[in-house]
Amino acid sequence: MKTLDTLDWICIAFYFLILVGIAIWIIRKKQNNTEDYFLAGRNVGWFVVGASIFASNIGSEHVVGLAGAGAGNKLPMLIYEIQAWVVLILGWVFLPFYARSGVFTMPEFLEKRFDARSRWVLSVFSIIAYVLTKISVTIYAGGIVVSALLGIDFWTGALSTVVLTGLYTVVGGMRAVVYTETLQAIVLVIGAAALTIIGLDHVGGWESMKETVTPEYLNMWRSASDPEFPWPTLFITSTIVGIWYWCTDQYIVQRTLTAKNIKEGRRGTIFGALLKLLPVFLFLIPGVIALTLKMRGELEWDTPDEAFPVLMSNLLPSGLRGLVAAGLLAALMSSLASVFNSCSTLFTVDIYKKLKPDTPEKKLVRTGQIATVIVVIIGIIWIPIMANISGVLYEYLQKVQSYISPPITAVFLLGIFHKRINAQGAFITLITGFVVGAIRIILELVKGSLDPNGFLFKLGDMNFLTFGAWFFLFCVILTIVVSLLSKAPSEEKVENLTFNTISEEEKNNNKNSYNWIDILVSVLIIAIVIGVMILFNGK
């Protein structure tokens, strides 16, 4: 790998100067209440909302892991990256309910729709899940990227990025996060696009690349009997995970709640969906390019997760290499900033404020800042544990998400689509679902010591996509059965929070929040998604 030269370092320094400038500008604005600190005063426009959604999603684990999937014969994982149509579901289906309810957090919405028990369960579980998956995986991937790019050791790279990101997140709150993410999204897209274009030119174009890796390699639709990625459950489980991640997870939804109104929030999700079409071409294709060059003996790397940094350092000219390096650092920092702020919001609004409801606004903001510092420290403690992760990082992340998303997706979907679903059904499903998900993770780790003919071995050894699909069906049935066997919720509890109970006034407000351009762009995005699905069919 080539190291960065003087021009590269100038580009990186220039990027950080702009970032610091934005952070200082934001920090100088007063943030006296929780709406300012956690939701940027609910006064953000669609462009910033969309860029923030994209930048929050594309972390270094995406850049490293998705390119690794492209280089390591894991092309079916691409389906998680063409979920722009699921981002549209957030704007068109879920957002109006969240905006009408005036909530700060997703657990808070569950309390309004069901009861306080569901709020507590989701709050605590979300914070634990963020620390175990998002924070730890992002820091680990970031450590790989930073050490490979800047020629420094893993610990120095990971620690410095965590501390710097934590600093502006603590002081600037959500406003600092969304505005710095807008810059980071722009830098990342320009840098990665340059690498894809130069890379394709270097390998002699798309057809030449396809010839080297063989057309079958570029097939995301494997047979239903494939042991790794059977296509029916790949589609079902990726959709379940997608709805959980894009439509119900605090990490993403919090960006739309910063919008001035439903119209700006929905347009933000449409713009975010448009940007979501890019990762296939910006990160997965460079992985395939790296594999092509390796097969031709022009490039060398040890594990698929190294494909992107190695390709970048060897193909890009001086200066542009620095820009892409800045883009990768941007991806790492935007993801970390988002998860730090989401953890802080969940703890302050859903736990601390519930325990101490009379706390003044200024003290709640201070509590949020302290919570962010604690999350940063926990993230640092997790670095040595995450350093032991093996295998393709992106696949690891999707596996864990396939076990934790089914109960949450079932409860939110049924909760807004049917007024008969009640608090008891939601609570029992969330608790049972989290227990089953934990059991599955444990069984997967210890399956080597179990009886190969026993039920527990089969449960632990079942394909993660197949497990996710059956698990979701189980959660849906459990929610419906428990709800029907217990008392129906009162009219006040479901008013304007389900499709059956929206008032005429709210229906009219919603109709006035979009126009034909919003519909046309949304249809265009769905058409592009279908086009990508057809393109990667191995022919």
Side-chain angles (χ1 to χ4, degrees):
M1 272 185 63
K2 295 176 186 172
T3 53
L4 301 178
D5 60 23
T6 308
L7 192 56
D8 294 326
W9 282 108
I10 290 169
C11 283
I12 293 171
F14 185 64
Y15 158 72
F16 273 104
L17 275 175
I18 297 174
L19 196 67
V20 168
I22 292 173
I24 290 169
W25 172 66
I26 296 298
I27 288 161
R28 290 179 66 181
K29 290 177 176 284
K30 287 184 178 177
Q31 305 204 42
N32 295 327
N33 59 43
T34 47
E35 188 161 89
D36 259 348
Y37 187 76
F38 295 119
L39 293 180
R42 292 192 198 261
N43 194 33
V44 175
W46 65 267
F47 184 88
V48 174
V49 170
S52 178
I53 288 172
F54 175 72
S56 299
N57 170 239
I58 303 300
S60 48
E61 80 281 3
H62 258 80
V63 178
V64 174
L66 193 54
N73 200 20
K74 305 277 184 184
L75 210 83
M77 303 302 286
L78 158 67
I79 198 161
Y80 289 94
E81 288 312 306
I82 49 173
Q83 289 190 328
W85 65 279
V86 185
V87 188
L88 294 175
I89 293 174
L90 168 61
W92 289 102
V93 179
F94 285 87
L95 181 60
F97 289 104
Y98 298 151
R100 272 195 293 271
S101 62
V103 296
F104 275 63
T105 69
M106 294 302 93
E108 190 182 357
F109 178 78
L110 283 192
E111 181 176 34
K112 289 208 170 189
R113 175 60 183 88
F114 300 115
D115 63 7
R117 295 177 303 168
S118 296
R119 178 176 184 169
W120 275 106
V121 173
L122 188 61
S123 303
V124 174
F125 178 77
S126 296
I127 291 171
I128 294 168
Y130 285 161
V131 173
L132 295 180
T133 57
K134 286 189 172 75
I135 293 176
S136 49
V137 171
T138 304
I139 293 172
Y140 172 71
I144 293 175
V145 170
V146 175
S147 58
L149 289 178
L150 309 185
I152 54 179
D153 69 278
F154 174 86
W155 274 95
T156 309
L159 279 171
S160 54
T161 322
V162 172
V163 171
L164 183 63
T165 311
L167 196 63
Y168 75 74
T169 312
V170 169
V171 182
M174 187 61 174
R175 203 185 299 269
V177 173
V178 293
Y179 282 101
T180 52
E181 279 179 343
T182 305
L183 167 71
Q184 288 159 340
I186 294 166
V187 171
L188 184 59
V189 168
I190 293 170
L195 180 60
T196 305
I197 293 163
I198 291 168
L200 276 173
D201 181 61
H202 194 81
V203 295
W206 180 268
E207 289 303 319
S208 175
M209 180 181 77
K210 199 156 90 169
E211 211 174 289
T212 303
V213 297
T214 72
E216 294 77 40
Y217 186 88
L218 295 173
N219 184 13
M220 63 179 281
W221 304 107
R222 298 187 185 173
S223 73
S225 58
D226 186 82
E228 272 194 302
F229 303 108
W231 79 262
T233 53
L234 173 70
F235 183 76
I236 294 166
T237 303
S238 65
T239 303
I240 294 161
V241 172
I243 292 172
W244 161 73
Y245 180 87
W246 290 106
C247 305
T248 74
D249 194 20
Q250 183 68 24
Y251 181 68
I252 294 295
V253 178
Q254 192 169 339
R255 272 106 207 96
T256 64
L257 299 180
T258 64
K260 294 172 187 173
N261 48 45
I262 292 181
K263 186 177 186 175
E264 293 291 315
R266 184 184 287 112
R267 283 201 176 152
T269 63
I270 294 169
F271 181 48
L274 208 52
L275 292 174
K276 182 61 187 162
L277 296 166
L278 298 175
V280 178
F281 307 101
L282 299 184
F283 310 123
L284 186 120
I285 299 301
V288 182
I289 292 168
L291 177 67
T292 306
L293 293 174
K294 187 178 184 182
M295 289 169 78
R296 293 177 184 175
E298 295 176 40
L299 206 65
E300 196 53 52
W301 34 266
D302 298 322
T303 67
D305 284 340
E306 291 175 10
F308 194 93
V310 171
L311 183 74
M312 188 207 86
S313 70
N314 281 279
L315 283 198
L316 293 182
S318 178
L320 196 53
R321 196 162 52 229
L323 182 69
V324 180
L328 286 174
L329 294 171
L332 167 61
M333 293 173 71
S334 63
S335 283
L336 276 179
S338 300
V339 75
F340 287 160
N341 190 258
S342 296
C343 277
S344 164
T345 308
L346 285 168
F347 175 78
T348 308
V349 176
D350 286 317
I351 296 175
Y352 189 84
K353 196 176 178 181
K354 287 290 284 181
L355 295 172
K356 296 188 174 183
D358 299 324
T359 308
E361 288 283 299
K362 275 193 174 180
K363 193 176 178 187
L364 284 175
V365 171
R366 180 69 58 209
T367 305
Q369 291 173 326
I370 294 166
T372 308
V373 171
I374 293 166
V375 170
V376 171
I377 293 166
I378 293 169
I380 292 168
I381 293 167
W382 264 98
I383 295 174
I385 298 163
M386 287 308 299
N388 295 321
I389 282 188
S390 59
V392 176
L393 194 62
Y394 193 70
E395 187 179 1
Y396 160 82
L397 196 61
Q398 300 308 339
K399 275 189 176 182
V400 174
Q401 291 178 342
S402 299
Y403 309 148
I404 63 179
S405 59
I408 303 172
T409 303
V411 165
F412 271 88
L413 272 178
L414 292 169
I416 66 166
F417 275 100
H418 207 292
K419 65 179 184 178
R420 184 61 181 82
I421 303 301
N422 64 14
Q424 192 67 9
F427 177 69
I428 296 291
T429 302
L430 288 174
I431 291 288
T432 308
F434 296 151
V435 170
V436 171
I439 290 170
R440 161 68 195 212
I441 292 170
I442 293 164
L443 289 176
E444 196 170 320
L445 292 171
V446 302
K447 67 183 178 185
S449 60
L450 299 172
D451 175 14
N453 298 315
F455 171 73
L456 290 179
F457 178 84
K458 285 186 172 66
L459 191 64
D461 193 49
M462 186 189 294
N463 177 284
F464 78 97
L465 296 165
T466 306
F467 177 85
W470 285 111
F471 185 22
F472 177 69
L473 181 62
F474 165 76
C475 291
V476 168
I477 293 168
L478 182 64
T479 312
I480 294 169
V481 170
V482 174
S483 293
L484 292 176
L485 291 176
S486 47
K487 192 180 173 186
S490 64
E491 288 298 319
E492 297 81 47
K493 199 70 188 164
V494 293
E495 188 182 359
N496 284 323
L497 294 181
T498 75
F499 277 104
N500 317 70
T501 58
I502 303 172
S503 67
E504 286 303 316
E505 185 187 352
E506 287 299 340
K507 283 179 183 174
N508 290 330
N509 288 342
N510 192 42
K511 277 180 186 171
N512 294 331
S513 67
Y514 60 86
N515 59 27
W516 66 271
I517 297 172
D518 299 318
I519 297 169
L520 185 67
V521 176
S522 298
V523 171
L524 178 68
I525 289 166
I526 293 167
I528 294 171
V529 169
I530 294 168
V532 172
M533 286 179 171
I534 294 168
L535 176 68
F536 288 92
N537 66 357
K539 290 177 184 173

